[in-house]
């Protein structure tokens, strides 16, 4: 059985993996609040308004994160079709949240779990913390983004769950998707779930949305890798699953 997620599991992970941002923000808040006591009244008022808005923004981002990760049906993987009796490749950066869910949801599928994390290329501190906090319990094959150790057209489906954006270099990302194109069957699909840098995520995460990629960036990657976007599935207004095909035909 799949272990139940705690009530605030997702929000806690965000704070836990990115605590340095919250610590820096809190430090600036204290320094600027103290500094305001020596300012002229009007300037102090303006600064207090700015600080209040900043605090509100942090709370909004955490509320949205609670909705997305702890309250929605995201972890029921509603964007996936029936995959029993299929061969599935899940590729992640070492923070594997869904292997157990996939095994429970599709017990008759053959599931291959791969980790592309390279500490010299993928340097986000939050990824390192996530890997340390949640070492994978499923059999996992270390892979490189530029050459996947699988046969041509080996898999029926490929799943990327909040992992592809960790490849920050565009050329590496394109090469990775070319490899996915090589190992997916002609009738298969790639399911990539991500935040997108759009109006909804800007409203929720402010400058934090710059960690996400725009649709334009993703579309350029797909085109250069010769995979076709056939549809988008919105799990919430903040989460998009891109469904990709090697031939651009829905099956």
């Amino acid at each position: 059985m799949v272990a139940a997620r705690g009530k605030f599991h997702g929000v806690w992970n965000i704070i836990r993996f990115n605590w340095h941002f919250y610590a820096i923000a809190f430090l600036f808040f204290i320094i600027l609040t103290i500094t305001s006591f020596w300012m002229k009244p009007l300037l102090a008022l303006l600064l207090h308004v700015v600080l209040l808005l900043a605090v509100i923004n942090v709370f909004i981002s955490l509320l949205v994160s609670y909705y997305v990760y702890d309250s929605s049906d995201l972890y029921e993987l509603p964007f996936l079709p029936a995959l029993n009796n299929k061969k599935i490749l899940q590729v992640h950066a070492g923070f594997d949240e869904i292997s157990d869910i996939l095994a429970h949801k599709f017990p008759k599928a053959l599931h291959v779990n791969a980790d592309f994390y390279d500490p010299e290329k993928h340097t986000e501190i939050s990824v390192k913390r996530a890997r340390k906090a949640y070492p994978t319990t499923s059999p996992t094959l270390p892979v490189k983004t530029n050459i996947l150790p699988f046969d041509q057209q080996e898999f029926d489906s490929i799943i990327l769950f909040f992992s592809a954006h960790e490849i920050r270099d565009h050329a590496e990302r394109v090469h990775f998707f070319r490899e996915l194109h090589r190992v997916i069957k002609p009738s298969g699909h790639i399911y990539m779930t991500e935040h997108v840098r759009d109006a909804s995520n800007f409203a929720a995460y402010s400058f934090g949305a710059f960690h996400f990629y725009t649709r334009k960036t993703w579309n350029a990657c797909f085109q250069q890798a010769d995979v076709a976007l056939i549809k988008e599935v919105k799990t919430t207004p903040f989460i998009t699953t891109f469904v990709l095909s090697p031939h651009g035909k829905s099956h």
Side-chain angles (χ1 to χ4, degrees), residues 49-124:
V49 170
V50 170
L51 291 174
L52 177 61
L53 291 175
V55 171
I56 291 173
N57 179 259
V58 170
F59 276 103
I60 288 175
S61 71
L62 292 176
L63 284 173
V64 169
S65 295
Y66 172 77
Y67 164 60
V68 169
Y69 298 112
D70 297 315
S71 182
S72 76
D73 64 350
L74 173 64
Y75 286 89
E76 295 174 17
L77 310 180
F79 47 85
L80 292 178
L83 294 178
N84 275 318
N85 302 311
K86 303 291 185 180
K87 190 169 185 179
I88 306 169
L89 172 63
Q90 185 210 348
V91 192
H92 55 79
F95 181 40
D96 174 17
E97 295 186 279
I98 63 170
S99 282
D100 290 344
I101 298 173
L102 288 170
H104 179 69
K105 191 177 181 73
F106 307 114
K108 296 182 180 180
L110 177 58
H111 178 201
V112 178
N113 196 22
D115 175 5
F116 66 72
Y117 177 73
D118 182 339
E120 294 184 1
K121 293 181 178 179
H122 314 130
T123 57
E124 291 286 332

Side-chain angles (χ1 to χ4, degrees), residues 134-148:
Y134 296 100
T136 183
T137 57
S138 301
T140 303
L141 181 66
V143 299
K144 295 185 180 296
T145 52
N146 64 339
I147 180 166
L148 297 176

